[in-house]
């Protein structure tokens, strides 16, 4: 997102961007209500006639562990190794597809995660993990949150991935939306 915003501002310096932090479900509602014009959300709906989505580069999931957790000494962990740990996750209501994706990784590994705490923001999830309430699975970009008591470890084998998509109203005639999407299209694949 930082690179996209920088590129857009360089190309269209007179346009004022009004940025709102929202999880996926509120973003979808705001797009439908015409409160926002464009959203950047994780694990977009599979089918939505009113909205359009363009996936931007995917990223792997990571295990989020208290630094004192026995698996924190490893470079990578298997999801199944987390089966006996309590979990801290975002509530399903704020991002149903992401929640289902994370719990699906656990199910595929042979267990149902025992969720002991929910938090709406990833920063809070990390703080609760640091406090020892549990572990989590999260998008790799969460590594940018720097907490001394949290270890981020790759997931193996196969490094499951999560997607991020730009979302907009499919019938929106706003030329600024088209310009933002054009800016996105001009970015090389994999560019942050």
């Amino acid at each position: 997102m930082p690179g996209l915003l920088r590129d857009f501002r360089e190309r269209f310096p007179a346009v004022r961007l009004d940025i709102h932090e929202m999880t996926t479900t509120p973003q979808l509602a705001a797009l439908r209500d015409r409160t926002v014009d464009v959203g950047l959300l994780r694990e977009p709906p599979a089918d939505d006639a009113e909205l359009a989505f363009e996936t931007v580069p995917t990223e792997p999931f990571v295990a989020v562990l208290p630094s004192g957790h026995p698996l924190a000494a490893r470079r990578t962990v298997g999801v199944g190794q987390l089966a006996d740990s309590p979990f801290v996750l975002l509530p399903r209501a704020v991002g149903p597809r992401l929640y289902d994706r994370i719990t699906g990784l656990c199910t595929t590994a042979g267990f149902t995660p025992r969720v002991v705490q929910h938090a709406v923001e990833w920063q809070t999830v990390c703080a609760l993990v640091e406090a020892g309430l549990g572990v989590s699975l999260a998008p790799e970009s969460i590594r940018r949150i720097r907490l001394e008591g949290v270890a981020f470890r790759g997931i193996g084998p196969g490094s499951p991935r999560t997607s991020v998509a730009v979302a907009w109203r499919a019938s929106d005639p706003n030329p600024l939306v088209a310009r933002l999407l054009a800016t996105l299209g001009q970015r090389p694949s994999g560019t942050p």
Side-chain angles (χ1 to χ4, degrees), residues 20 22 27 31 50 53 60 65 67 69 73 84 92 106 120 133 137 148 155-156 158 169 173 184:
H20 303 272
M22 290 185 241
Q27 278 189 73
L31 283 162
E50 187 178 349
F53 305 95
L65 310 167
S67 57
H69 193 284
D84 294 330
R92 187 176 189 281
C106 297
V120 175
L133 271 66
L137 293 172
E148 288 184 29
I155 296 174
R169 288 178 297 283
L184 178 66

Side-chain angles (χ1 to χ4, degrees), residues 35-65:
T35 308
V36 300
D37 296 311
V38 177
L40 188 65
L41 47 93
R42 191 165 296 281
E43 298 290 334
D47 189 13
D48 191 311
E50 187 178 349
L51 302 177
F53 305 95
E54 182 175 334
T55 299
V56 292
T58 64
E59 64 180 308
F61 282 100
V62 294
V64 185
L65 310 167

Side-chain angles (χ1 to χ4, degrees), residues 36-139:
V36 300
D37 296 311
V38 177
L40 188 65
L41 47 93
R42 191 165 296 281
E43 298 290 334
D47 189 13
D48 191 311
E50 187 178 349
L51 302 177
F53 305 95
E54 182 175 334
T55 299
V56 292
T58 64
E59 64 180 308
F61 282 100
V62 294
V64 185
L65 310 167
S67 57
H69 193 284
L71 295 173
R74 297 180 178 217
R75 193 173 191 161
T76 61
V77 300
V79 173
Q81 293 176 294
L82 303 174
D84 294 330
S85 297
F87 271 74
V88 178
L89 293 178
L90 298 176
R92 187 176 189 281
V94 301
R97 291 207 55 200
L98 178 61
Y99 184 91
D100 292 349
R101 183 94 168 80
I102 291 170
T103 58
L105 293 172
C106 297
T107 301
T108 300
F111 71 99
T112 300
R114 182 172 46 93
V115 181
V116 297
Q117 185 66 52
H118 288 105
V120 175
E121 300 293 337
W122 283 115
Q123 295 89 332
T124 307
V125 169
C126 288
L128 295 172
V129 167
E130 181 182 40
L133 271 66
V135 302
S136 194
L137 293 172

